[in-house]
Amino acid sequence: MLERLMIALVAVMLIAFVTTLFLAKPSVSGIAQGFVPSYNPSASVLLIAFVASCFSIVGAFYQSYLMQERKKLGAQVTNKSTTGILILGFMSAVVIICAAAVLHPQGIKVNSASEMSKALQPLFGEYAADLFLVGLFGASFSSLVGNATVGGSLLGDAFGYGSQLSAKMVRLFIALVMVCGATIALLFGKLPLELIIFAQSVTIFLVPFIGYAMYQIANDEKVMGARKNSPYVKIVGAIGLVLLVALAAWNFYNMFIQ
């Protein structure tokens, strides 16, 4: 049920931004120019936070738990990872293009949720803020449920209680993660963009370890059997792992040394 709910929420956000993309009429040459690599030192933290958020190693790691859960429930198990990756990449690109087409020409710097809502003004006009906050609630709700489920399941498995969502201790750990998140939100009392960016950038310190463990397991013939990674996947995976390690080192330098 939660899976279907989150798919619906993502679909609503995708439709809204794709429609906004057409109404905003972004410059084709500007979009093409965006594919040319460039570096802005002042945006390094944002870049790291963006990669840590979209290059979701933890989500990929938890996918194995979801597959086991679906098998135990007797549900059909299909490989939807490619579809999910393409949708996430496409939606991220659409959001960036919309922001560049609507916010940048006006010189708007995003410091609050209401300012972010201006990216939807070409589509929703004066109702942009209200609808954006509804979408923001949907995004935060899906993230809260998803991340709490991941965290609670991994905690339960780590402490020997298993990872099944029906287990009492796993549900307790999931609730604990939710309570911790809600407590932090209430203590700050408003949407702290800096805290969100900081939390996402700190995540990059964890993902290389998870990525390395996944990489080793996926290449182990004893564990994977016929599903062992092909040479091509090994190379691509190694490049991605090196990228994560480099970003973690870069973030460490920016936060503690520079």
Side-chain angles (χ1 to χ4, degrees), residues 17 70 84 144 180 207 219 232 235 257-258:
F17 274 104
R70 291 179 71 88
L144 173 64
C180 290
V207 292
N219 293 330
Y232 170 75
I235 294 173
I257 299 178
Q258 191 175 22

Side-chain angles (χ1 to χ4, degrees), residues 37-47 250 254:
S38 61
Y39 173 62
N40 183 356
S42 62
S44 60
V45 176
L46 285 173
L47 175 62
W250 184 21
N254 288 333

Side-chain angles (χ1 to χ4, degrees), residues 118-200:
K118 293 178 182 178
L120 292 175
Q121 281 185 348
L123 176 60
F124 299 122
E126 60 181 358
Y127 299 104
D130 297 331
L131 291 171
F132 179 81
L133 292 176
V134 171
L136 187 62
F137 173 80
S140 60
F141 179 79
S142 61
S143 296
L144 173 64
V145 173
N147 291 328
T149 302
V150 171
S153 300
L154 295 181
L155 276 175
D157 199 22
F159 286 111
Y161 296 106
S163 60
Q164 293 186 17
L165 298 179
S166 57
K168 184 181 295 184
M169 286 303 299
V170 172
R171 292 185 177 186
L172 180 62
F173 283 133
I174 292 174
L176 179 63
V177 174
M178 288 185 175
V179 169
C180 290
T183 302
I184 293 174
L186 291 173
L187 287 176
F188 279 87
K190 58 181 180 179
L191 178 66
L193 294 180
E194 294 80 7
L195 179 63
I196 294 175
I197 295 172
F198 175 76
Q200 288 299 127

